[in-house]
């Protein structure tokens, strides 16, 4: 690219300048401090002055009693959210797209993506008012039907489902926006031709709508696979307690306790690097797989 081309597109480069500087300062420069994963970090000695420890903290994490439990919970919640949230977002997007009542469509869309803007602190308060064993709305209904109240948030069998469905409730509407945008790009003549042939609404959805947005679906799944070890720290941190720790504790909450509460920064950084490597490998694998299966990929 020559100087003439740069001058021609100078407005674009000016717009890119601030984001690039942001990523350099707040993303790439801090990566230099990632070396403390291989050092026995001492705050008084600093990052560069701390002695090297090799792979000691990686081995400590891998040999930890909680390692497989953390992996199971983290991957289980991530895949559960992926399997539940993406199909629900697609269904919601298709329903809104097919609706001919504009007012109703706007109301439903607003109500479904509004929870995305609420913090998990507020969501926890809402869930507590619904699920509390004493005066929760759901337990009030259970008692009215003659049943015994259930302590949902301290029950190891109920807690995982609460995590999955509360996440779907919070993020389903926001995720649907991406698919609605993809649906708006479908050629209307395809639907008109299908209607002339006498197809039903379900057939048009299955044979036109879903195949047309398949590249977007693949893209969304790929991006989510890259963060498969991020099961949602804020959500779990707000919802979990010692009674459900065996099914609630994920890598991020464990790192929070080890890194911040116990000041074991080297161990926390080692786990962060481990997560980054696994995420990169998963994205590369999923990209190659979808290129073969769906003829669509990120790169």
């Amino acid at each position: 690219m020559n100087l003439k081309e740069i001058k021609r597109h100078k407005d674009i480069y000016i717009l890119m300048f601030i984001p690039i500087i942001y990523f350099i300062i707040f993303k790439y420069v801090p990566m230099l401090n990632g070396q403390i994963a291989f050092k026995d970090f001492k705050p008084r000695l600093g990052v560069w002055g701390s002695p090297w420890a090799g792979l000691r903290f990686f081995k400590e994490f891998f040999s930890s009693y909680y390692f497989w439990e953390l992996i199971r919970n983290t991957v289980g919640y991530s895949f559960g959210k992926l399997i539940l949230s993406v199909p629900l977002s697609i269904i919601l997007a298709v329903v809104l797209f097919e609706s001919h009542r504009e007012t109703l469509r706007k109301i439903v869309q607003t109500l479904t993506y509004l929870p995305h803007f609420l913090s998990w602190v507020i969501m926890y308060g809402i869930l507590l008012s619904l699920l509390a064993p004493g005066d929760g709305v759901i337990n009030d209904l259970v008692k009215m039907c003659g049943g015994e109240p259930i302590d949902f948030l301290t029950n190891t069998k109920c807690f995982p489902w609460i995590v999955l469905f509360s996440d779907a409730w919070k993020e389903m509407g926001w995720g649907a926006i991406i698919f609605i945008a993809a649906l708006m790009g479908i050629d209307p003549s395809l639907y008109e031709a299908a209607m002339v042939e006498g197809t039903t609404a379900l057939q048009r959805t299955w044979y036109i709508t879903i195949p047309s947005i398949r590249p977007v679906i693949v893209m969304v799944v790929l991006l989510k696979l890259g963060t498969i070890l991020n099961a949602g720290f804020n959500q779990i941190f707000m919802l979990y307690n010692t009674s459900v720790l065996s099914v609630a504790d994920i890598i991020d909450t464990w790192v929070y306790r080890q890194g911040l509460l116990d000041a074991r920064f080297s161990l926390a950084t080692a786990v962060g690097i481990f997560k980054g490597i696994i995420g990169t490998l998963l994205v590369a694998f999923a990209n190659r797989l979808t290129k073969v299966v769906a003829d669509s990929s990120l790169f």
Side-chain angles (χ1 to χ4, degrees):
M1 183 179 291
N2 54 39
L3 185 61
K4 184 178 179 180
E5 287 294 318
I6 294 176
K7 288 182 178 180
R8 181 182 175 187
H9 302 288
K10 63 180 181 179
D11 293 338
I12 297 176
Y13 286 104
I14 292 173
L15 288 173
M16 291 172 58
F17 179 75
I18 294 178
I20 289 173
I21 295 299
Y22 166 82
F23 277 100
I24 290 174
I25 295 176
F26 295 102
K27 300 295 182 180
Y28 291 102
V29 172
M31 288 176 66
L32 294 173
N33 295 330
Q35 62 183 290
I36 68 174
F38 307 95
K39 289 186 171 185
D40 186 9
F41 177 66
K42 308 292 184 184
R44 61 184 179 82
L45 297 177
V47 174
W48 299 95
S50 298
W52 290 97
L55 300 176
R56 168 185 156 193
F57 295 103
F58 289 91
K59 294 177 180 177
E60 181 178 343
F61 176 61
F62 296 147
S63 60
S64 170
Y65 172 79
Y66 301 101
F67 176 73
W68 289 112
E69 183 178 281
L70 294 171
I71 294 295
R72 180 200 67 194
N73 293 341
T74 303
V75 174
Y77 284 129
S78 295
F79 269 113
K81 291 177 180 180
L82 177 63
I83 294 170
L84 185 64
S85 297
V86 173
L88 286 177
S89 296
I90 295 172
I91 293 171
L92 177 61
V94 172
V95 169
L96 291 173
F97 180 73
E98 294 287 345
S99 175
H100 299 293
R101 298 184 178 181
E102 186 176 351
T103 303
L104 178 63
R105 184 172 66 246
K106 290 181 178 179
I107 292 173
V108 172
Q109 186 173 358
T110 301
L111 291 177
T112 52
Y113 77 65
L114 186 62
H116 170 80
F117 299 98
L118 302 178
S119 70
W120 276 109
V121 177
I122 297 174
M123 291 296 293
Y124 174 73
I126 296 173
L127 289 172
L128 193 61
S129 66
L130 292 173
L131 304 173
D135 55 356
V137 174
I138 294 178
N139 273 311
D140 283 344
L141 294 175
V142 171
K143 287 184 285 187
M144 285 175 60
C145 295
E148 292 293 327
I150 304 170
D151 196 349
F152 293 98
L153 295 175
T154 58
N155 188 311
T156 55
K157 293 182 179 179
C158 297
F159 186 84
W161 295 105
I162 293 171
V163 171
L164 296 179
F165 282 103
S166 62
D167 178 80
W169 173 32
K170 189 174 188 296
E171 302 298 338
M172 178 177 63
W174 183 254
I177 293 176
I178 299 174
F179 299 112
I180 291 173
L183 291 170
M184 297 296 290
I186 300 176
D187 188 353
S189 63
L190 295 175
Y191 293 104
E192 294 170 1
M195 291 175 68
V196 170
E197 294 296 327
T199 58
T200 64
L202 184 60
Q203 288 174 324
R204 291 194 295 272
T205 299
W206 184 255
Y207 292 106
I208 298 176
T209 304
I210 300 301
S212 297
I213 64 172
R214 185 173 61 179
V216 177
I217 296 173
V218 170
M219 190 76 67
V220 170
V221 172
L222 279 176
L223 292 173
K224 286 184 176 293
L225 282 176
T227 58
I228 203 69
L229 292 184
N230 292 331
F233 170 79
N234 291 332
Q235 179 192 19
I236 301 294
F237 183 73
M238 288 305 306
L239 296 180
Y240 84 151
N241 52 75
T242 54
S243 299
V244 294
L245 205 60
S246 61
V247 297
D249 205 17
I250 59 174
I251 291 176
D252 289 338
T253 54
W254 186 81
V255 167
Y256 165 77
R257 295 196 303 273
Q258 296 292 323
L260 294 182
L261 300 186
D262 295 342
R264 304 192 66 190
F265 302 111
S266 296
L267 178 60
T269 305
V271 177
I273 291 176
F274 165 73
K275 288 177 57 181
I277 293 173
I278 296 299
T280 302
L281 293 176
L282 283 172
V283 168
F285 171 76
N287 185 74
R288 180 174 293 273
L289 182 63
T290 52
K291 188 180 292 186
V292 175
V293 176
D295 195 27
S296 178
S297 61
L298 282 173
F299 48 87

